[in-house]
Amino acid sequence: QVQFVESGGGLVQPGGSLSLSCAASGIIFSLSTMNWYRQAPGAERELVATISNFGGSRNYADSVKGRFTISRDNAKNTVFLQMNNLKPEDTAVYYCNTNPARTNWGQGTQVTVSS
């Protein structure tokens, strides 16, 4: 069964940093392009970052470019999102999934940026 378990969220002040992790199971991780998504209250889920199966290609939403970095560890079936210089508009629940996304979603991890 496909499963994603996100962790690492929390409350941080503007300008702060957080590092998110997502452990995946039930997929051939090393063959999977992975995405990070986020969903703010009352908004649709949006794509934040993408990383190819061996990490050679990475893409970011314009809103996070230069501040967020996606990476992965295929030996641990884990994808990461390093978030720096966080802004209040980054507040959302963050999820990972494959590209294209599977129907199974994890519980997400809440990121709140507030002073």
Side-chain angles (χ1 to χ4, degrees):
Q1 182 178 0
V2 176
Q3 188 174 17
F4 303 104
V5 180
E6 300 91 350
S7 62
L11 173 64
V12 64
Q13 292 187 343
S17 298
L18 282 173
S19 182
L20 307 185
S21 299
C22 172
S25 59
I27 62 173
I28 305 175
F29 188 80
S30 62
L31 297 183
S32 302
T33 295
M34 296 298 298
N35 291 342
W36 278 100
Y37 300 83
R38 68 185 180 188
Q39 187 167 21
E44 293 187 355
R45 190 173 291 162
E46 64 169 334
L47 177 62
V48 173
T50 300
I51 186 167
S52 59
N53 59 339
F54 289 109
S57 177
R58 311 179 194 199
N59 291 285
Y60 301 92
D62 288 343
S63 58
V64 307
K65 205 170 291 184
R67 300 188 298 121
F68 290 11
T69 301
I70 189 170
S71 61
R72 64 191 295 159
D73 184 339
N74 285 351
K76 296 181 179 179
N77 286 9
T78 301
V79 62
F80 306 97
L81 188 68
Q82 177 65 40
M83 305 186 296
N84 298 328
N85 190 22
L86 282 160
K87 303 176 180 181
E89 52 264 42
D90 295 319
T91 295
V93 180
Y94 284 71
Y95 304 87
C96 76
N97 208 316
T98 55
N99 182 15
R102 304 296 182 106
T103 54
N104 297 48
W105 290 85
Q107 82 288 350
T109 187
Q110 175 70 49
V111 172
T112 303
V113 185
S114 175
S115 55

